[in-house]
Amino acid sequence: MAGRREGLLTREKGQSLQVSRIIIAVMIGVLLGCVFALLSPRGFFSSNRYIHSRPIGISDLQIESSACESSERLNALKSDILSVTEKNSELKKQIKSLTEKLRLSEQGKGHAQQQFVMLGEKHKAGPFGTVKGLRTNPTVIPDESVNPRLAKILEKVAISKELIVALANSNVKAMLEVWFSNIKRAGIPNYLVVALDDNIEEFCKSNDVPFYRRDPNEGIDTIAKTGGNHAVSALKFRILREFLQLGYSVLLSDVDIVYLQNPFDYLYRDSDVESMSDGHSNATAYGYNDVFDEPAMGWARYAHTMRIWVYNSGFFYIRPTLPSIELLDRVADRLSHDSKSWDQAVFNEELFFPSRPGKDGLHAAKRTMDIYLFMNSKVLFKTVRKDARLKKLKPVIVHVNYHPDKFARMKAVVDFYVNGKQDALEHFPDGSE
């Protein structure tokens, strides 16, 4: 019994010793694991050798903490940047708006400034009879890069950014002399001849006449040097564009015109185009209601039509506005594709025909000049010279547009209005022979 009891005790001691060894081994493993964890927090297989070999400390905890804080700060900065960007965008819009207002304020005069106010704000209609719409478009921003050489010439010649311009080649040399001689006599300093050939250039130089000779252009130069009145007249729409782009208002003039007063003293400047009329009376020049009769329609036989005689494309004042430039582009484009078209007809069609299906009309303001101040030769020879009261009026200009014997009639106009010869106009027929 005693031996069996000792055996049991020995066995129990061995088992307890084995358990103790296991516990000790586990504890050693845990301790080693903790040590390794402290020495290498990112493990033995990390790709970052620097972190793997560096012992962990308080700085690592601070880095992790600051990384979290940096992430939050980055998000906050992104939010701030987004907010600033939005504010910057708003500021840009405001600056652009202010710049536009400043531009219009500097360039606009009278109606142009009022128009910007009207467009920028909505207004209630005033009492009956007090409402006035605006008609004057703002001028374009001058662009001297279009033609620096012409810009320098205009800077010397123009007054208040406006001048008279005429195109001339050797075919109209005699009339050109009468033209500029009377301009000088009337004391008009701001005028310019676009010389289309060498002969006219030398003629202008010898007579102390301001001129501009265009740079060579093969297609245009052929028309300019050899073309007749209609060909040269069509060319002017293309040339005029540069004057407008440079910011100048132009009083375009044919050379069959006698100047008796300074036309700039009689312009309204409230429209894109201000033109003399081919009309010979108040009705034909300013418009009338013409009744068309078609008896086959019975009760509806009478149809009312609105009529106006065309503007003369040989004498008109044009302001440097977008509608004005669009008008020149339209006319020049049509004439370049149809050489048989008459430039004056195309000029009026583009200016007056309204928008319609398949076609956008030109939105340009226009004014008809006083027919007794800006007088065509039909008014003079058919009406004025036969009326004692009208003969006492002194027109601003007389345009010999209705008669082919232009030079003779121009000299007669000078004799009558300048030299005082009361019978100077009498021997001419009303029309052409």
Side-chain angles (χ1 to χ4, degrees):
M1 292 290 291
R4 190 180 297 173
R5 192 177 296 172
E6 289 176 2
L8 289 171
L9 289 171
T10 303
R11 191 181 299 170
E12 286 176 0
K13 286 180 181 181
Q15 289 177 350
S16 63
L17 181 61
Q18 187 176 0
V19 171
S20 298
R21 288 176 179 175
I22 293 172
I23 293 172
I24 291 169
V26 171
M27 290 178 66
I28 291 171
V30 171
L31 288 171
L32 289 173
C34 291
V35 171
F36 288 130
L38 288 172
L39 294 176
S40 183
R42 297 182 181 274
F44 287 102
F45 304 102
S46 172
S47 60
N48 192 328
R49 294 182 178 180
Y50 173 75
I51 296 176
H52 174 72
S53 61
R54 184 176 57 84
I56 193 167
I58 296 174
S59 60
D60 294 290
L61 299 176
Q62 291 176 342
I63 290 172
E64 291 181 4
S65 175
S66 63
C68 294
E69 291 177 2
S70 297
S71 178
E72 292 176 359
R73 288 178 61 190
L74 182 61
N75 291 333
L77 284 172
K78 287 181 179 179
S79 179
D80 290 342
I81 290 171
L82 183 61
S83 177
V84 169
T85 302
E86 292 175 353
K87 289 180 180 179
N88 189 39
S89 178
E90 287 296 320
L91 285 173
K92 284 182 179 179
K93 289 180 181 179
Q94 292 177 12
I95 290 171
K96 185 177 180 181
S97 177
L98 289 172
T99 302
E100 181 69 8
K101 289 180 180 179
L102 179 62
R103 182 185 71 81
L104 290 174
S105 177
E106 290 175 346
Q107 293 183 346
K109 293 181 180 179
H111 291 286
Q113 293 177 348
Q114 295 175 19
Q115 186 185 49
F116 179 78
V117 174
M118 290 288 289
L119 292 174
E121 300 177 8
K122 292 183 179 180
H123 295 267
K124 291 182 179 179
F128 181 82
T130 65
V131 177
K132 296 289 183 181
L134 295 173
R135 297 163 181 82
T136 308
N137 285 301
T139 57
V140 298
I141 299 174
D143 183 7
E144 291 190 3
S145 66
V146 170
N147 192 329
R149 186 166 64 85
L150 178 59
K152 290 181 180 179
I153 295 173
L154 297 181
E155 206 172 297
K156 297 177 182 178
V157 175
I159 296 176
S160 299
K161 302 286 284 187
E162 56 186 13
L163 74 162
I164 300 169
V165 175
L167 278 67
N169 61 17
S170 296
N171 294 334
V172 295
K173 185 176 180 179
M175 288 189 291
L176 177 64
E177 185 173 12
V178 177
W179 181 84
F180 65 67
S181 296
N182 283 279
I183 283 180
K184 291 180 178 181
R185 183 184 289 112
I188 306 167
N190 50 330
Y191 68 100
L192 183 73
V193 174
V194 178
L196 300 177
D197 57 39
D198 297 336
N199 192 1
I200 293 299
E201 180 179 347
E202 293 301 320
F203 187 57
C204 289
K205 286 180 181 178
S206 62
N207 286 277
D208 195 25
V209 171
F211 72 93
Y212 163 64
R213 185 70 186 274
R214 298 181 62 258
D215 292 329
N217 182 301
E218 185 175 349
I220 293 177
D221 283 352
T222 302
I223 299 172
K225 293 176 180 178
T226 62
N229 286 345
H230 287 304
V232 172
S233 186
L235 182 63
K236 67 194 174 193
F237 296 99
R238 189 176 296 275
I239 295 175
L240 268 183
R241 192 186 204 278
E242 291 185 353
F243 287 79
L244 268 58
Q245 283 182 279
L246 293 171
Y248 289 85
S249 297
V250 174
L251 184 57
L252 189 281
S253 173
D254 282 352
V255 294
D256 58 343
I257 293 175
V258 177
Y259 286 78
L260 302 169
Q261 300 185 65
N262 191 331
F264 294 108
D265 295 337
Y266 296 88
L267 297 175
Y268 285 81
R269 301 174 178 85
D270 64 346
S271 303
D272 298 298
V273 177
E274 193 168 344
S275 177
M276 74 172 297
S277 172
D278 271 2
H280 61 94
S281 63
N282 286 347
T284 56
Y286 310 136
Y288 63 100
N289 181 7
D290 183 46
V291 180
F292 176 77
D293 184 10
E294 189 177 6
M297 288 297 295
W299 175 82
R301 63 183 292 179
Y302 300 110
H304 291 258
T305 67
M306 304 309 298
R307 300 286 297 278
I308 184 173
W309 286 34
V310 296
Y311 281 178
N312 191 289
S313 64
F315 189 86
F316 60 87
Y317 178 79
I318 186 166
R319 296 176 58 249
T321 65
L322 291 179
S324 296
I325 295 174
E326 184 183 0
L327 171 65
L328 298 179
D329 287 351
R330 286 184 177 209
V331 176
D333 181 65
R334 283 185 57 183
L335 293 175
S336 67
H337 290 90
D338 185 2
S339 59
K340 295 181 180 179
S341 293
W342 182 27
D343 68 283
Q344 180 161 291
V346 175
F347 174 74
N348 279 271
E349 289 170 4
E350 292 298 335
L351 191 57
F352 283 96
F353 282 180
S355 297
R356 56 193 183 274
K359 175 75 172 181
D360 287 333
L362 182 73
H363 298 276
K366 44 200 171 287
R367 169 180 281 275
T368 306
M369 292 177 172
D370 188 315
I371 62 171
Y372 295 108
L373 291 178
F374 299 91
M375 191 182 298
N376 63 56
S377 56
K378 183 174 183 177
V379 172
L380 175 61
F381 287 97
K382 186 179 179 182
T383 305
V384 171
R385 69 171 176 168
K386 301 174 183 179
D387 189 301
R389 293 175 303 168
L390 292 177
K391 284 177 71 175
K392 295 178 182 179
L393 295 175
K394 186 178 182 180
V396 177
I397 60 107
V398 174
H399 189 180
V400 187
N401 60 316
Y402 269 100
H403 301 88
D405 51 341
K406 296 178 181 296
F407 185 59
R409 294 198 186 229
M410 286 178 73
K411 291 193 295 183
V413 169
V414 174
D415 283 339
F416 180 77
Y417 285 108
V418 178
N419 301 327
K421 295 181 180 180
Q422 294 302 307
D423 61 344
L425 305 175
E426 298 305 322
H427 67 281
F428 292 96
D430 287 357
S432 57
E433 294 178 341

